[in-house]
Amino acid sequence: MDLVLRGARVVDGTGGPSYTADVGVHEGRIAAVGRLSGGRETVDAHGLALAPGFVDMHAHSDLALLRDPDHSAKAAQGVTLEVLGQDGLSYAPVDDRTLDAVRAAITGWNGPGDDIDFDWRTVGEYLDRLDRGFGGEGVAVNAAYLVPQGTVRAHVVGWDDRPATAAELDRMRRLVADGLAQGAVGMSSGLTYTPGMYASGAELTELCRVVAHYGGYYCPHHRSYGRGAAAAYAEMVDVARRAGCALHLAHATMNFGENEGRAGELLALLDATLAAGADITLDSYPYTPGCTTLVALLPSWANEGGPEAVLARLRDDDQARRIRHVLEQEGADGCHGVPVDWSAIEISGVADPAYAAHVGTRLDGWDTARRLLIGDRLAPTVLQHVGHEENVRAIMRHRAHTGGSDGILQGAKPHPRAYGTFPHYLGHYVRELGLLSLEECVAHLSGRPAARLRLPDRGLVRVGHRADLVLFDPDTVAAGSTYERPRTPPAGIPHVLIDGRFVMRDGRRTQVLAGRSVRRTERGPR
């Protein structure tokens, strides 16, 4: 053995009972589990739980992995695989025109990208770039990718609110097929973000048929988490059913005052859909506030035409008054159909240092929001304090649940979920509240997401599987990140391995770059 982890409490990712054993690693894979003699190196794991590496099913590290070789935000949590390309907007497939517009649209998620050499255009080229990483050595953690439907629509149709023509729909099908053939694991949508939100259910169904043909899954941020949440979930279930496509609901929750205590309606829909034989899962983060960009709250018609058109409308007093009326009186579709409560919106990040004083403050009204949007060129990110703890707890206990941080790493005060989701599950909800058993929670964070991604050799502590492993102390593991100090590292996670190599050792980030792209394992259409 290259390495023996001795005397660990093995929590194997299946949800079954844990047990004490030695785990041997050889050439990047788990070679033996049981009572083992010494290897070339031995680590005393008594008192520690040994689990499969955690899978972040909803990450926004699309540029962070290429910007930061350390990437301790995820590595220190025990995350060994992130799923990128979320919410329908990312950086492949693109042409030059689309890339410029997408970069501007999601500056708040990933930064402007001025420090990135965008030397790719296709999904396959982006995955190749992850493989090369830094100096040809790779990146901090593994990454899978979803074809972003909004980017595909921007590429083909543009940023206009209109139906796609037959020729445009055919071209979008080809782009989605190409991305899946090049290794994407599925397709995402952001149906409260432009231009993805302009797609009809029929258009989404046609694209999902392509996803199903290649054995991928559809991951929608659906049309409403507020006033129309129940109908929005039902629409996604119907799209997946008609397309024959596996479905994974992104950051699934029920938010805003309209949905307090209504998680049971979503769970009943899931149970009925599963009972009918559908392939459906979801992810959530263990916090109540959401996080997005400030511009995303505007009505869809105000976002039509792309970032420069939005700025022009905001500068026009008449258009700005109309936007304000919809936001405050009617409820914008970008704000989930709910009239905006400015006091619930906290600025978490800006791009221009001239507006740094606003970070950490709640908005006092439209005038401040408008000034920030124009001055910071749509870049501000926000926390929306609109969630309900009872909904969070109910959803995380469901048998189809997996963990996802939805972590935006930009901004001076990002959401603490970016740095704390996985230890917060283990420390707060397992140890302190007993809401989940340790074994069940680890399955939510490892084995179940690996099954959704159809990865035959990841997500379990099993001989032959890749040695993507995390060792943590069940008695002390906890998120260090808070709303005031969101980048504080977690406690109680001393060791993290990817392919049998320590990326975290004794609680410190090593210089190992073991991360690579993780591509769809079925190489051709079904």
Side-chain angles (χ1 to χ4, degrees), residues 358-369:
H358 290 275
V359 174
T361 67
R362 304 287 182 107
L363 285 175
D364 57 8
W366 165 249
D367 291 339
T368 300

PDB file of all heavy atoms in Angstrom, residues 358-369:
ATOM      1  N   HIS A 358     -20.974  50.109   1.198  1.00  0.00           N
ATOM      2  CA  HIS A 358     -22.307  49.510   1.192  1.00  0.00           C
ATOM      3  C   HIS A 358     -22.285  48.041   1.590  1.00  0.00           C
ATOM      4  O   HIS A 358     -23.340  47.484   1.931  1.00  0.00           O
ATOM      5  CB  HIS A 358     -22.941  49.654  -0.197  1.00  0.00           C
ATOM      6  CG  HIS A 358     -23.309  51.057  -0.556  1.00  0.00           C
ATOM      7  ND1 HIS A 358     -24.496  51.634  -0.185  1.00  0.00           N
ATOM      8  CD2 HIS A 358     -22.619  52.013  -1.248  1.00  0.00           C
ATOM      9  CE1 HIS A 358     -24.555  52.880  -0.639  1.00  0.00           C
ATOM     10  NE2 HIS A 358     -23.432  53.129  -1.283  1.00  0.00           N
ATOM     11  N   VAL A 359     -21.123  47.390   1.514  1.00  0.00           N
ATOM     12  CA  VAL A 359     -21.048  45.966   1.812  1.00  0.00           C
ATOM     13  C   VAL A 359     -21.393  45.725   3.280  1.00  0.00           C
ATOM     14  O   VAL A 359     -20.877  46.383   4.183  1.00  0.00           O
ATOM     15  CB  VAL A 359     -19.650  45.415   1.483  1.00  0.00           C
ATOM     16  CG1 VAL A 359     -19.532  43.956   1.939  1.00  0.00           C
ATOM     17  CG2 VAL A 359     -19.375  45.519  -0.007  1.00  0.00           C
ATOM     18  N   GLY A 360     -22.293  44.775   3.504  1.00  0.00           N
ATOM     19  CA  GLY A 360     -22.728  44.459   4.849  1.00  0.00           C
ATOM     20  C   GLY A 360     -23.907  45.272   5.335  1.00  0.00           C
ATOM     21  O   GLY A 360     -24.381  45.066   6.452  1.00  0.00           O
ATOM     22  N   THR A 361     -24.414  46.177   4.497  1.00  0.00           N
ATOM     23  CA  THR A 361     -25.560  46.996   4.878  1.00  0.00           C
ATOM     24  C   THR A 361     -26.814  46.520   4.163  1.00  0.00           C
ATOM     25  O   THR A 361     -26.748  45.933   3.080  1.00  0.00           O
ATOM     26  CB  THR A 361     -25.328  48.481   4.545  1.00  0.00           C
ATOM     27  OG1 THR A 361     -25.276  48.650   3.116  1.00  0.00           O
ATOM     28  CG2 THR A 361     -24.029  48.974   5.159  1.00  0.00           C
ATOM     29  N   ARG A 362     -27.969  46.771   4.775  1.00  0.00           N
ATOM     30  CA  ARG A 362     -29.246  46.480   4.133  1.00  0.00           C
ATOM     31  C   ARG A 362     -29.633  47.675   3.260  1.00  0.00           C
ATOM     32  O   ARG A 362     -29.361  48.832   3.606  1.00  0.00           O
ATOM     33  CB  ARG A 362     -30.337  46.231   5.173  1.00  0.00           C
ATOM     34  CG  ARG A 362     -30.040  45.117   6.178  1.00  0.00           C
ATOM     35  CD  ARG A 362     -30.129  43.729   5.575  1.00  0.00           C
ATOM     36  NE  ARG A 362     -29.892  42.704   6.576  1.00  0.00           N
ATOM     37  CZ  ARG A 362     -30.848  41.911   7.081  1.00  0.00           C
ATOM     38  NH1 ARG A 362     -32.098  42.030   6.673  1.00  0.00           N
ATOM     39  NH2 ARG A 362     -30.551  41.000   7.979  1.00  0.00           N
ATOM     40  N   LEU A 363     -30.283  47.413   2.149  1.00  0.00           N
ATOM     41  CA  LEU A 363     -30.713  48.483   1.262  1.00  0.00           C
ATOM     42  C   LEU A 363     -31.827  49.296   1.911  1.00  0.00           C
ATOM     43  O   LEU A 363     -32.717  48.747   2.564  1.00  0.00           O
ATOM     44  CB  LEU A 363     -31.197  47.912  -0.062  1.00  0.00           C
ATOM     45  CG  LEU A 363     -30.100  47.420  -1.016  1.00  0.00           C
ATOM     46  CD1 LEU A 363     -30.714  46.753  -2.238  1.00  0.00           C
ATOM     47  CD2 LEU A 363     -29.186  48.558  -1.442  1.00  0.00           C
ATOM     48  N   ASP A 364     -31.768  50.616   1.715  1.00  0.00           N
ATOM     49  CA  ASP A 364     -32.798  51.490   2.279  1.00  0.00           C
ATOM     50  C   ASP A 364     -33.825  51.915   1.240  1.00  0.00           C
ATOM     51  O   ASP A 364     -34.671  52.786   1.510  1.00  0.00           O
ATOM     52  CB  ASP A 364     -32.172  52.716   2.923  1.00  0.00           C
ATOM     53  CG  ASP A 364     -31.311  53.512   1.974  1.00  0.00           C
ATOM     54  OD1 ASP A 364     -31.317  53.211   0.759  1.00  0.00           O
ATOM     55  OD2 ASP A 364     -30.628  54.452   2.414  1.00  0.00           O
ATOM     56  N   GLY A 365     -33.772  51.326   0.049  1.00  0.00           N
ATOM     57  CA  GLY A 365     -34.781  51.639  -0.940  1.00  0.00           C
ATOM     58  C   GLY A 365     -34.260  51.609  -2.358  1.00  0.00           C
ATOM     59  O   GLY A 365     -33.083  51.319  -2.623  1.00  0.00           O
ATOM     60  N   TRP A 366     -35.164  51.909  -3.290  1.00  0.00           N
ATOM     61  CA  TRP A 366     -34.870  51.839  -4.714  1.00  0.00           C
ATOM     62  C   TRP A 366     -33.769  52.795  -5.130  1.00  0.00           C
ATOM     63  O   TRP A 366     -32.927  52.448  -5.968  1.00  0.00           O
ATOM     64  CB  TRP A 366     -36.132  52.107  -5.514  1.00  0.00           C
ATOM     65  CG  TRP A 366     -35.877  52.404  -6.967  1.00  0.00           C
ATOM     66  CD1 TRP A 366     -36.044  53.588  -7.613  1.00  0.00           C
ATOM     67  CD2 TRP A 366     -35.368  51.487  -7.946  1.00  0.00           C
ATOM     68  NE1 TRP A 366     -35.689  53.478  -8.935  1.00  0.00           N
ATOM     69  CE2 TRP A 366     -35.266  52.198  -9.159  1.00  0.00           C
ATOM     70  CE3 TRP A 366     -34.997  50.146  -7.914  1.00  0.00           C
ATOM     71  CZ2 TRP A 366     -34.816  51.603 -10.341  1.00  0.00           C
ATOM     72  CZ3 TRP A 366     -34.538  49.557  -9.099  1.00  0.00           C
ATOM     73  CH2 TRP A 366     -34.451  50.285 -10.277  1.00  0.00           C
ATOM     74  N   ASP A 367     -33.752  53.997  -4.593  1.00  0.00           N
ATOM     75  CA  ASP A 367     -32.768  54.980  -5.041  1.00  0.00           C
ATOM     76  C   ASP A 367     -31.344  54.468  -4.827  1.00  0.00           C
ATOM     77  O   ASP A 367     -30.484  54.618  -5.699  1.00  0.00           O
ATOM     78  CB  ASP A 367     -32.963  56.310  -4.315  1.00  0.00           C
ATOM     79  CG  ASP A 367     -34.248  57.011  -4.729  1.00  0.00           C
ATOM     80  OD1 ASP A 367     -34.763  56.692  -5.823  1.00  0.00           O
ATOM     81  OD2 ASP A 367     -34.744  57.860  -3.960  1.00  0.00           O
ATOM     82  N   THR A 368     -31.098  53.864  -3.678  1.00  0.00           N
ATOM     83  CA  THR A 368     -29.767  53.302  -3.412  1.00  0.00           C
ATOM     84  C   THR A 368     -29.497  52.111  -4.321  1.00  0.00           C
ATOM     85  O   THR A 368     -28.395  51.968  -4.869  1.00  0.00           O
ATOM     86  CB  THR A 368     -29.651  52.870  -1.946  1.00  0.00           C
ATOM     87  OG1 THR A 368     -29.869  54.008  -1.108  1.00  0.00           O
ATOM     88  CG2 THR A 368     -28.262  52.299  -1.656  1.00  0.00           C
ATOM     89  N   ALA A 369     -30.491  51.249  -4.506  1.00  0.00           N
ATOM     90  CA  ALA A 369     -30.308  50.089  -5.385  1.00  0.00           C
ATOM     91  C   ALA A 369     -29.978  50.536  -6.808  1.00  0.00           C
ATOM     92  O   ALA A 369     -29.061  49.989  -7.446  1.00  0.00           O
ATOM     93  CB  ALA A 369     -31.573  49.231  -5.380  1.00  0.00           C
TER      94      ALA A 369
END
